[in-house]
Amino acid sequence: MAKNLTSRVRKLFRNMNNEPTKDTLDEQENTTQPEVSEATENTENAEATEAPAQENEAEKWQKEAAEWKDKYMRLYAEFDNFRKRSIKEKSDILATAAAGIVKDLLPVMDDFDRAVKANETTEDIQAVKEGFVLIQQKFNSALTAKGLKPINAIGQVFDTDYHEAITQIPAPSEDMKGKVVDELEKGYLLNDKVVRFSKVVIGQ
C-alpha cells in the first residue's frame, strides 16, 4: 500500500512539472511580447525610411523637369529672335539692293530729262537720235553691271526654258523649222536666271 502511494505521489509530481503553471505562462508571454513589438518597430522604421526616399526622388524629378523647361524656353526664345533677325536682314538686303539699282539708274534719268528739254528747241533730228542711242547704251551698261543680260532668241532652236511661244508661222526655210523666226518681246537673264521669257514666233 505504501508502495502504491509513493508511485502516485511521484506521478503527480511529474505531471505538475510538465504542466505549465500561471507563473510559467506569464513568463512566456513576457518573453514573446518583446519579439512582436520589435518586429512592429522594424516595420515602422522601414516605412519611415522609405517615405523620405520617395520624397527625395520626387523632388529630384521635379527639379530636373524644371531645368529642362527652362532650357526649352531659352532655346525657343533664341530661335524666335533668330527668325525675327533673319527676316529683318532679308528685308534690309532687298531694300539695299533696290536702293543700289535706283542709284545707278539716276544718271540715266538725268540724261532723259536733259534730252527732253533739248528736244523742245532743237531742230536737228540726227542729234536727237544720237542722244537717245547714247542714253540707251548708258542704261544697258548700268543694267549689265547688275548682272542683267538679254536672251538671244532669233535663229535659236525653240527652248521652253528660255522662250514663250506666241504663235507659229510657216518657216522661211527648211533649216528654220522648229526655230525662233521672230521675237515680239525680248527676254532677260539676271545672274543666269530667267527673269523674263522671250516671247517668240516659231517656224513650222
Side-chain angles (χ1 to χ4, degrees), residues 114-185:
R114 285 190 289 268
V116 170
K117 289 182 180 180
N119 291 341
E120 293 177 355
T121 57
T122 186
E123 295 180 358
D124 188 350
I125 301 300
Q126 186 62 32
V128 173
K129 291 180 179 180
E130 291 176 357
F132 274 105
V133 170
L134 292 174
I135 294 173
Q136 183 191 33
Q137 291 175 352
K138 190 172 186 178
F139 181 72
N140 288 337
S141 297
L143 294 178
T144 300
K146 294 298 181 181
L148 186 73
K149 60 182 179 180
I151 296 174
N152 296 322
I154 296 179
Q156 302 296 319
V157 176
F158 176 73
D159 188 347
T160 55
D161 290 337
Y162 301 100
H163 309 140
E164 180 182 348
I166 302 302
T167 186
Q168 295 182 354
I169 62 173
S173 60
E174 287 294 327
D175 62 330
M176 289 299 292
K177 287 185 177 182
K179 295 183 179 180
V180 177
V181 297
D182 194 12
E183 184 179 54
L184 303 179
E185 187 175 84

Side-chain angles (χ1 to χ4, degrees), residues 1 5 16 21 30 34 38 44 57 120 130 143-144 184 203:
M1 178 113 181
L5 181 61
M16 290 177 62
T21 62
N30 293 334
E38 184 177 356
E44 292 176 352
E57 188 72 13
E120 293 177 355
E130 291 176 357
L143 294 178
T144 300
L184 303 179

